[in-house]
């Protein structure tokens, strides 16, 4: 309410124009922000639409031209700078059996020094990338979330440290799928 009142007062006084605050459409119908940047231009579709761990790591590294295909067992870990995390360095806490995949509690924790990004993927979901966090310096890279898991598969935690990517896997059995019903 306070923000709405302040904006209404600023608009009435002529201090602000709606286009200074809200997105605006140009003549071509493209939604643009106040500083003329197309809305959503900072969104990396290759990252969030990645169909595998390897495609995710490649897209996060800036390469959006590599084909984005679901993983096969032979491809696991075949991405530049991707390594299996040592035991105990990248932890995934989740139930072994999820009765309903629509609301699965998961905690991911990285004990890898200088972790600056951590993400969680559900291997066989239609869109495997569940969540990603930029870790601020001197913060604990540990996050708890609730995700949807479509079917019995692997949960994959992936962390970036020093330009290298580390991952660990955790099996989860789903009785009722979260994404597919």
């Amino acid at each position: 309410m306070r923000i709405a009142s302040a904006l209404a007062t600023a608009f009435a006084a002529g201090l602000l124009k709606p286009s200074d605050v809200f997105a605006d459409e140009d003549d071509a119908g493209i939604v643009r922000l106040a500083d003329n940047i197309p809305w959503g231009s900072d969104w990396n579709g290759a990252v969030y639409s990645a169909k595998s761990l390897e495609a995710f790591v490649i897209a996060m590294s800036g390469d959006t031209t590599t084909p984005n295909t679901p993983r096969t067992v032979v491809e696991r870990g075949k991405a530049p700078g991707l390594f299996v995390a040592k035991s105990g360095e990248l932890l995934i806490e989740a139930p072994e059996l999820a009765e309903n995949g629509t609301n699965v509690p998961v905690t991911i924790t990285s004990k890898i020094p200088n972790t600056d990004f951590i993400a969680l993927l559900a291997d066989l979901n239609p869109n495997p990338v569940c969540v990603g966090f930029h870790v601020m310096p001197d913060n604990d890279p540990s996050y708890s979330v609730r995700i949807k898991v479509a079917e019995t598969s692997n949960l994959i935690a992936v962390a970036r440290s020093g330009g290298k990517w580390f991952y660990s896997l955790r099996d989860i059995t789903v009785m009722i799928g979260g994404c597919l019903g």
Side-chain angles (χ1 to χ4, degrees), residues 14-100:
L15 298 172
L16 287 175
K17 297 180 295 193
S19 63
D20 292 336
V21 179
F22 303 109
D24 194 17
E25 283 189 14
D26 64 9
D27 294 335
I30 297 173
V31 177
R32 296 189 178 271
L33 302 177
D35 52 1
N36 207 26
I37 297 173
W39 181 83
S41 64
D42 62 339
W43 184 75
N44 188 339
V47 170
Y48 294 104
S49 63
K51 299 297 182 195
S52 67
L53 167 64
E54 296 74 23
F56 173 79
V57 169
I58 290 168
M60 283 292 292
S61 300
D63 178 2
T64 58
T65 61
T66 299
N68 181 9
T69 58
R71 88 166 169 86
T72 61
V73 176
V74 198
E75 295 175 343
R76 174 64 73 203
K78 301 288 185 189
L82 180 62
F83 306 95
V84 176
K86 294 178 185 171
S87 180
E89 282 190 335
L90 192 53
L91 307 172
I92 305 171
E93 294 177 36
E96 288 182 28
L97 175 66
E99 290 184 22
N100 188 340

Side-chain angles (χ1 to χ4, degrees), residues 116-174:
D116 63 355
F117 187 84
I118 189 168
L120 179 67
L121 290 78
D123 209 16
L124 297 180
N125 275 4
N127 293 304
V129 180
C130 297
V131 67
F133 299 98
H134 288 281
V135 181
M136 300 302 291
D138 300 324
N139 281 357
D140 182 28
S142 181
Y143 299 93
S144 294
V145 295
R146 291 187 176 267
I147 62 170
K148 289 184 177 183
V149 182
E151 59 185 285
T152 298
S153 64
N154 287 315
L155 294 179
I156 307 169
V158 59
R160 180 178 60 198
S161 175
K164 295 179 182 176
W165 292 91
F166 302 91
Y167 73 95
S168 65
L169 305 172
R170 170 106 160 75
D171 291 331
I172 185 166
T173 302
V174 178

